[in-house]
Structures are given as C-alpha cells and as structure tokens.
C-alpha cells in the first residue's frame, strides 16, 4: 500500500511528476538524439519573455539541473519536506541536502538517466528535495552533476558579453497567486522572469491573441514533426547453458 494514504492527492503526486520525462524519452527519445536538456513548466508557471530569449539563455548553460532557487537544509531547517523521507537522506549531511520549488526546471538528459536508475531501483522521494539533492551529491569519473539556481545569467558560462540576459525566478512562490495583469505588464517589458502561481490567465490569453508577433512565433514553436517508430528491439539472447 502507498504509505502516505490519506494525504491530499497533489501532495502524493510530488513524488512522481518527473518520472514522466523518463517515459517521454523512452517513447520518443530515439527521434531526438541531439536533445541534451529539457524544460518542464507547471501549467500555472509563466515566463515574462519570449521563448527565443529563454532558448538562447538555455543554449549558453550546460548545468545539469536548473531550478528557481537552491537552499540547503542547514539554511532552512524547518522546511517540512526534509522530514518526509528521513531514511532516503540519512546518509546525506545537512549541508548537502538541498531543495527548490520545481514549478519550472531544466534537466540534462544524463541527469534524467541518473534519476531513471534511482526510480527503477525503487527510490522515490519528495521531488523538491530528492531531485536537487540527487544532483548535488552525484559525482563520478564520467561527470559531476552541476546544479544552478535561476538568476545566475549567461555570464556563468564565461561569456561576459551576455551579462544582460539573465533569466530570473524572483516571482516564483508557493502562494498566494499573482495578479494576471501584473504578469502581463512584466511580459510586455520582457523582464525574463518566471512567475508562479498564476491561476487566472484570461488576460494573458487576451494579450497573446492580440499580439501578432507572439502569435506567429507560437505557430513556429508549436509545430513538432511526428516521431518515427522506435527501432526494433534486438532478438532475444539464447538461453544460458547450465554450467
């Protein structure tokens, strides 16, 4: 039985959201071999800028995990999710236990491979802690997992000419919801900042529908060619001889 029976559904869902990314790569990854990172937005998380600016920022960052803000358990000892999986984090010192809101995040393909192995092994945890802590504590001869908080800017990869293009997350919070009109004003100024939560989005739709440039850009971004069928699996191996 699920050990957290009786909790609100949205709380139990916080253990499984990102496993869907592994499912997507299992079904479609063969059609996108060059994809190195993916973004995941919650429906009530919006970006005050164009996707072209966000993708330019993204291409200049090689970090494996990018989340709104990174905080340690030592900094925020009363953050409740740290008490939800005590056995999972028992071997991790408090200074290396980190958390962030995952209302928006960007993940490398190799990090998702790391998490897929953990999930397949039966390891699950409250993802606001489990995902960033898994990255912060992974280091191997092949690759150390790099964890960044939004707001570092393009110059984090050594390009001082791009200092002005900094994607932030100062407007991400748990509650209360942001006013729709306040977000639209920021979107018009292209502040390049993530906002969450925005529950009432009618004025956002009106703004986007009335902006011909945005509509045309959305048409270009929205088209994704269908994935070819996955390759045939290899033939089964012959049975092992009994010696």
């Amino acid at each position: 039985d699920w050990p957290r029976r009786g909790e609100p559904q949205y709380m139990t869902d916080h253990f499984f959201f990102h496993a869907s990314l592994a499912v997507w790569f299992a079904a479609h990854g063969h059609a996108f071999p060059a994809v190195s990172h993916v973004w995941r937005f919650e429906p009530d998380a919006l970006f005050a800028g164009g996707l072209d600016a966000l993708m330019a920022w993204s291409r200049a960052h090689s970090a494996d995990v990018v989340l709104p803000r990174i905080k340690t358990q030592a900094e925020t000892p009363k953050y409740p999710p740290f008490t939800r999986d005590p056995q999972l984090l028992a071997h991790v010192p408090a200074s290396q236990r980190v958390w962030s809101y995952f209302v928006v995040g960007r993940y490398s393909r190799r990090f998702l491979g790391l998490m897929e192995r953990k999930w397949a092994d039966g390891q699950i945890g409250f993802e606001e802690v489990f995902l960033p802590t898994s990255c912060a504590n992974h280091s191997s001869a092949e690759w150390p997992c790099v964890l960044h908080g939004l707001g570092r800017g393009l110059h984090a990869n050594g390009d001082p000419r791009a200092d002005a293009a900094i994607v932030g997350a100062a407007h991400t919070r748990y509650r209360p919801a942001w006013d729709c009109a306040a977000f639209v004003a920021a979107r018009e100024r292209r502040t390049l900042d993530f906002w969450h939560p925005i529950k009432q989005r009618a004025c956002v739709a009106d703004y986007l529908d009335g902006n011909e440039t945005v509509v045309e850009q959305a048409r270009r971004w929205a088209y994704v060619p269908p994935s070819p069928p996955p390759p045939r699996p290899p033939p089964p191996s012959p049975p092992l001889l009994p010696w």
Side-chain angles (χ1 to χ4, degrees):
D1 285 346
W2 176 242
R4 296 167 177 86
R5 189 181 302 277
E7 287 192 345
Q9 184 64 47
Y10 83 95
M11 293 295 287
T12 61
D13 288 346
H14 274 59
F15 289 76
F16 300 107
F17 278 128
H18 291 76
S20 63
L21 297 177
V23 174
W24 186 92
F25 272 110
H28 302 288
H30 65 280
F32 301 93
V35 170
S36 61
H37 296 77
V38 295
W39 285 89
R40 175 191 173 273
F41 292 26
E42 290 191 352
D44 55 354
L46 301 179
F47 180 59
L51 287 180
D52 54 345
L54 182 60
M55 293 301 103
W57 184 93
S58 189
R59 283 192 295 270
H61 260 68
S62 59
D64 294 281
V65 179
V66 178
L67 294 166
R69 289 180 296 278
I70 311 298
K71 296 183 180 180
T72 68
Q73 184 177 17
E75 294 171 319
T76 55
K78 295 183 179 180
Y79 184 58
F82 282 114
T83 65
R84 301 178 68 85
D85 304 289
Q87 297 304 315
L88 187 67
L89 302 177
H91 65 290
V92 181
S95 60
Q96 289 297 107
R97 300 177 187 175
V98 295
W99 70 276
S100 176
Y101 294 132
F102 57 53
V103 297
V104 62
R106 196 201 68 165
Y107 309 94
S108 72
R109 197 163 184 169
R110 62 185 182 181
F111 171 73
L112 292 175
L114 168 68
M115 294 308 304
E116 185 175 3
R117 292 191 294 274
K118 289 178 178 287
W119 292 321
D121 191 47
Q123 300 181 45
I124 60 170
F126 203 75
E127 290 189 334
E128 290 182 352
V129 172
F130 189 34
L131 268 67
T133 298
S134 293
C135 179
N137 290 274
H138 175 78
S139 180
S140 66
E142 292 79 21
W143 63 284
C145 192
V146 178
L147 175 68
H148 278 183
L150 283 166
R152 288 173 176 262
L154 288 174
H155 60 280
N157 277 2
D159 185 359
R161 296 169 299 174
D163 278 4
I166 297 177
V167 171
H171 290 88
T172 57
R173 63 190 185 192
Y174 175 47
R175 59 172 60 145
W178 292 100
D179 177 69
C180 180
F183 168 76
V184 167
R187 176 64 174 79
E188 180 69 19
R189 299 194 307 273
R190 296 176 67 90
T191 59
L192 305 186
D193 192 22
F194 281 101
W195 289 56
H196 173 275
I198 301 177
K199 301 296 187 182
Q200 302 298 326
R201 298 188 292 277
C203 78
V204 179
D206 292 341
Y207 164 75
L208 296 177
D209 288 344
N211 188 317
E212 293 183 4
T213 301
V214 171
V215 171
E216 180 56 33
Q217 184 185 69
R219 288 197 182 102
R220 294 198 305 270
W221 281 90
Y223 175 73
V224 177
S227 299
R232 291 181 177 274
S237 301
L240 294 175
L241 297 176
W243 59 74

